[in-house]
Amino acid sequence: MRGKGGKDMKASKVKIIGKKKIKDLLREASQEWNVYVPQKWSDGDVWMDQLPKDKQMLDEALEDVVLEDVDTVISPKDIFFPQLESIFKFKDDKIWETPEFSPKLIFGVQPCDLKGILFSDDFYRRNFEDRYYVSRIQNRLIVARGCLRPPRPTCFCSSAKTGPFAEDGFDLQLVDFGDSYFVEVGTREGEEFITMHKKFFSEPDGNYDMTIKEIKTKACDSLELKVDFQNALSLMAQDSFIPEENYRRIGERCIYCGGCLYVCPTCTCFNVFDNVKDKEGERVRNWDACVFEGYTRETSGHNPRKDKWLRTARRYEHKLKFDYKVTGLSGCIACGRCLSSCPVGIGISKFIQEITEKRKIM
Amino acid sequence: MENNIYIPDLARITRIETVTPLEKIFDISFIEKEAQKKFNFLPGQFVELTVFGVGEAPFSITSNPNNKDKFQLCIRAVGSVSKAIHALKEGARVGIRGPFGKGTFPYKEAKGHNVLAIAGGLGLAPLMSFLTYVMDFRDQYKNLMIIYGAVNPTNILYKNEIAYWNSRDDVSVCVTVDNPDDKWTGEIGVCTKLIPRVDFKPDDTYTIVCGPPVMYKYVVVELEKKNFKEDKIFLSLERRMECGVGKCNHCHIGDKLACVDGPVFRLWDVRNLKEAI
């Protein structure tokens, strides 16, 4: 009840925080949460990394926090779906499961990556709840950070409507406004977080709604790469439209390194294997990639996807056709990482341009 | 550890039968009575078998679903897990998850109709869950014909069952081998050669097929020459699997998953999918 005279009785769903206060907020929040935030490493790469708990190390890490024009090398998916993860351990006739439950504050998530997280959430809850994924997300707060400018030249979120600002799915969203951020509140949990740390936040003045709208429109206009995303989904949905020749041509150039799949926010394939050390065993799962020849190779040696072009087709069809058919959502969230990470210049945005503009690009 | 689909239940190998130079049949029972009680499978389903420390692999259940105190797997020693289980002795402990797979053989739908079973090599093993079920309720089905092709006479699986089927006048069995030995007096050649001889009415016949991947497209061609209907032909499409529950994604066939939507598919549902057959 902050409003005066009954005109604005409800607290607004938008707060404001000075940029200078962010470090102190993160320092305070890290007492309760495992805080993940983009940090610039000495080599210049930015990773969505966990802040250390040790006081001195935390202070040092906070100096490396970056929130603007951030191109995190990989998506934050590894917070919930680690590259290598223990499923259970076993010794003699005992088996014990090893899920992870820590409270996680993910701070500064790009809107496209947020879509990726929500996509994976849905995938790992579909049909049954994946114990490991669901335990990792059960106590989680997401602070999204809209992009004023595309962090990668390959970004095409405005075409897929997955950015540059999120419309929903966040607990809080930062809107860059000079030396402060507007903080949009998306959920009750987000509101509680602000209440817990209220000394860092204040009420915005004036016609802030209009200001936020202008910021978002300008951000949207800043994306130069535009593709006909919806048309691509429609074309992919028509079973036999994409000529095999397209896949064969791309497949000839692909070096099948799997890089695009590791950086992809929605790639969730994994392998399962056992490790044994000193009579104690552990079953683990680790990331796999459908472009690898061994991915579908059977014990007999038979491989239904031995041909390169079939693996190329699989990749595009999974993202743009089958995911869409099963969930109504595209499996590509238009972050552009596949193209920015590809050594030979192959990416989903280019594939979309090829099929919608009917010309060879790759 | 309730509700965690990734954790195997402990089970014991109660009997091992060496059936060919390559294959053994394993009888398996759960150690916990509760686990045994809730393990009810349908013909065509599979389990994920763990040899602790080696890993996990999917195997079709080969025994009669009506047998509730144990189940059987027929395993060829080719991969790390299958070789490891071949090295185990009776009484050894393994882990079992499952049964998995929604796509089963049409044991209900085929009632009141002819059944044609076509198996190639180790493909006979998954069909056994269905065929033993049909034999239990033999009067509920019309004609039953089993076509089985093996590489050579020593590789023939389930010799006792084949002899039993041969002894009955309500089952017709044709076994053919690619490489006969001196004693072989039966059919020679691949099993597709026998399909033209089938005299069942196409509209009234359910066909189930399981064999090596290369076999399917030739079998389907022969069946369709005789006007067998694609909505009454069922194929067991096995793929590399890791999790068995639709998360690791290795067994994708188009938008379907062999582990969840299969492993048995109606030809109608998969024939236009890349890589299916």
Side-chain angles (χ1 to χ4, degrees):
Chain A
M1 301 289 194
R2 286 153 206 249
K4 287 174 189 166
K7 197 181 169 195
D8 182 17
M9 289 299 283
K10 270 168 73 180
S12 77
K13 290 293 179 192
V14 175
K15 306 289 173 191
I16 199 158
I17 183 170
K19 285 183 179 175
K20 282 182 183 155
K21 293 181 184 168
I22 293 287
K23 278 176 196 164
D24 290 333
L25 171 67
L26 292 175
R27 185 182 287 109
E28 188 174 286
S30 70
Q31 289 170 16
E32 187 191 349
W33 303 87
N34 285 347
V35 179
Y36 296 81
V37 61
Q39 294 161 56
K40 196 168 210 154
W41 288 11
S42 54
D43 59 6
D45 283 346
V46 178
W47 294 80
M48 180 63 97
D49 219 2
Q50 190 182 337
L51 286 177
K53 292 283 183 188
D54 172 81
K55 196 181 168 303
Q56 194 190 338
M57 286 169 74
L58 174 63
D59 284 340
E60 285 169 19
L62 284 170
E63 292 305 312
D64 299 329
V65 167
V66 279
L67 288 172
E68 282 156 40
D69 299 321
V70 169
D71 173 10
T72 51
V73 177
I74 62 168
S75 78
K77 75 173 172 187
D78 67 328
I79 300 169
F80 315 114
F81 175 51
Q83 192 158 7
L84 188 72
E85 173 176 38
S86 177
I87 294 181
F88 62 81
K89 293 185 177 179
F90 53 91
K91 191 179 184 183
D92 301 325
D93 57 353
K94 292 209 166 45
I95 300 175
W96 61 101
E97 55 179 356
T98 49
E100 195 272 340
F101 297 94
S102 69
K104 299 171 185 72
L105 172 65
I106 328 289
F107 199 96
V109 177
Q110 291 165 25
C112 57
D113 286 341
L114 172 61
K115 285 279 182 206
I117 290 171
L118 299 175
F119 188 91
S120 300
D121 288 357
D122 175 62
F123 174 76
Y124 275 111
R125 284 187 178 130
R126 205 178 302 152
N127 301 326
F128 70 93
E129 291 205 337
D130 181 286
R131 170 69 59 96
Y132 306 94
Y133 188 94
V134 172
S135 73
R136 282 179 196 276
I137 67 169
Q138 71 177 18
N139 193 357
R140 166 184 88 182
L141 199 83
I142 294 181
V143 181
R145 189 263 314 143
C147 301
L148 288 193
R149 291 166 292 274
R152 287 172 286 277
T154 55
C155 288
F156 60 110
C157 62
S158 64
S159 302
K161 302 197 167 44
T162 54
F165 280 86
E167 282 167 19
D168 48 32
F170 53 84
D171 295 296
L172 298 171
Q173 173 163 250
L174 305 179
V175 181
D176 194 328
F177 179 55
D179 54 6
S180 57
Y181 292 108
F182 288 115
V183 184
E184 295 180 307
V185 182
T187 60
R188 189 174 54 79
E189 288 79 5
E191 195 162 24
E192 279 169 7
F193 179 83
I194 286 182
T195 310
M196 279 286 290
H197 305 281
K198 54 177 179 272
K199 67 178 180 212
F200 299 104
F201 297 91
S202 55
E203 295 292 320
D205 300 324
N207 196 356
Y208 59 86
D209 272 347
M210 192 57 83
T211 311
I212 290 173
K213 211 170 171 184
E214 279 166 12
I215 293 170
K216 289 182 177 177
T217 308
K218 207 173 153 197
C220 218
D221 292 343
S222 77
L223 275 116
E224 282 172 21
L225 179 55
K226 295 203 191 310
V227 300
D228 196 348
F229 198 82
Q230 201 54 44
N231 187 19
L233 295 180
S234 310
L235 291 172
M236 291 297 282
Q238 297 166 21
D239 269 337
S240 54
F241 175 79
I242 312 300
E244 193 179 304
E245 196 273 325
N246 281 37
Y247 296 124
R248 286 189 181 275
R249 183 164 38 78
I250 301 165
E252 278 309 308
R253 292 199 40 236
C254 176
I255 59 169
Y256 299 90
C257 66
C260 53
L261 301 144
Y262 289 151
V263 299
C264 177
T266 60
C267 275
T268 53
C269 292
F270 60 81
N271 256 327
V272 179
F273 60 94
D274 284 6
N275 276 333
V276 181
K277 208 174 163 187
D278 302 330
K279 286 187 181 169
E280 186 175 297
E282 184 179 30
R283 177 153 298 165
V284 293
R285 64 179 178 190
N286 69 332
W287 293 357
D288 201 355
C290 63
V291 297
F292 293 157
E293 189 184 342
Y295 181 83
T296 45
R297 193 195 301 125
E298 295 160 22
T299 311
S300 65
H302 172 71
N303 191 345
R305 238 178 268 151
K306 188 171 172 48
D307 288 352
K308 286 177 175 180
W309 80 272
L310 283 171
R311 283 179 266 145
T312 299
R314 169 78 216 158
R315 165 148 169 68
Y316 294 108
E317 289 188 340
H318 188 196
K319 296 289 176 201
L320 300 175
K321 179 177 177 176
F322 301 136
D323 278 338
Y324 186 55
K325 188 175 167 187
V326 174
T327 67
L329 293 170
S330 156
C332 170
I333 47 81
C335 69
R337 282 194 187 88
C338 51
L339 181 54
S340 68
S341 70
C342 181
V344 294
I346 297 173
I348 287 203
S349 59
K350 283 192 178 178
F351 177 78
I352 290 172
Q353 286 172 317
E354 285 205 346
I355 64 168
T356 55
E357 298 167 20
K358 300 195 173 49
R359 60 194 179 101
K360 284 183 198 171
I361 295 170
M362 287 187 276
Chain B
M1 280 177 280
E2 294 257 316
N3 304 325
N4 189 342
I5 207 163
Y6 295 109
I7 306 275
D9 283 314
L10 292 177
R12 207 175 283 293
I13 299 171
T14 56
R15 195 184 69 98
I16 301 173
E17 182 189 347
T18 301
V19 283
T20 76
L22 284 173
E23 286 102 3
K24 290 181 182 180
I25 291 176
F26 298 85
D27 285 10
I28 295 171
S29 298
F30 290 93
I31 290 173
E32 298 286 336
K33 278 199 178 108
E34 272 306 301
Q36 186 67 46
K37 225 166 134 184
K38 67 172 201 232
F39 187 81
N40 290 307
F41 67 94
L42 299 170
Q45 286 192 300
F46 67 96
V47 292
E48 286 278 355
L49 171 111
T50 289
V51 177
F52 288 100
V54 178
E56 195 177 44
F59 296 98
S60 290
I61 307 169
T62 55
S63 52
N64 188 333
N66 295 321
N67 192 341
K68 303 288 185 196
D69 58 354
K70 64 173 184 191
F71 67 94
Q72 276 184 349
L73 304 175
C74 177
I75 296 176
R76 178 180 288 176
V78 276
S80 55
V81 175
S82 55
K83 280 178 183 159
I85 193 175
H86 267 245
L88 294 179
K89 302 247 164 30
E90 286 178 3
R93 213 164 29 82
V94 292
I96 296 290
R97 293 191 298 125
F100 295 134
K102 282 190 292 211
T104 57
F105 292 118
Y107 64 101
K108 271 190 194 157
E109 199 179 325
K111 283 184 181 172
H113 304 278
N114 301 315
V115 172
L116 170 63
I118 303 171
L122 189 52
L124 180 61
L127 290 189
M128 289 307 287
S129 61
F130 176 73
L131 293 172
T132 51
Y133 180 94
V134 171
M135 291 310 288
D136 276 2
F137 302 97
R138 182 65 192 87
D139 57 336
Q140 297 182 20
Y141 301 83
K142 286 188 186 164
N143 299 307
L144 170 62
M145 183 174 184
I146 299 161
I147 295 175
Y148 171 40
V151 174
N152 57 50
T154 49
N155 281 354
I156 293 175
L157 297 163
Y158 296 100
K159 291 192 176 82
N160 294 339
E161 283 79 0
I162 292 170
Y164 169 65
W165 296 332
N166 267 319
S167 74
R168 289 181 58 139
D169 54 11
D170 58 354
V171 186
S172 132
V173 190
C174 296
V175 181
T176 175
V177 297
D178 294 346
N179 308 314
D181 57 15
D182 298 343
K183 286 179 250 161
W184 183 254
T185 55
E187 299 285 346
I188 297 167
V190 292
C191 58
T192 40
K193 272 176 57 182
L194 302 177
I195 296 173
R197 291 188 215 167
V198 179
D199 60 354
F200 292 171
K201 261 199 213 155
D203 286 349
D204 196 23
T205 302
Y206 278 82
T207 306
I208 58 169
V209 188
C210 188
V214 63
M215 190 180 100
Y216 292 96
K217 68 177 167 220
Y218 298 106
V219 167
V220 167
V221 167
E222 288 301 324
L223 289 171
E224 294 198 318
K225 272 189 204 164
K226 291 187 71 79
N227 286 321
F228 281 78
K229 302 293 175 235
E230 57 188 346
D231 63 334
K232 291 193 173 78
I233 298 173
F234 289 75
L235 315 170
S236 180
L237 298 182
E238 286 162 23
R239 290 291 184 268
R240 180 192 177 129
M241 293 175 191
E242 298 286 334
C243 71
V245 291
K247 293 297 172 217
C248 79
N249 271 343
H250 284 76
C251 65
H252 254 295
I253 306 170
D255 61 332
K256 303 205 167 17
L257 288 154
C259 66
V260 174
D261 303 307
V264 180
F265 290 96
R266 209 183 282 267
L267 176 59
W268 173 273
D269 293 327
V270 294
R271 77 172 317 155
N272 293 324
L273 300 177
K274 280 191 188 82
E275 318 144 23
I277 56 171

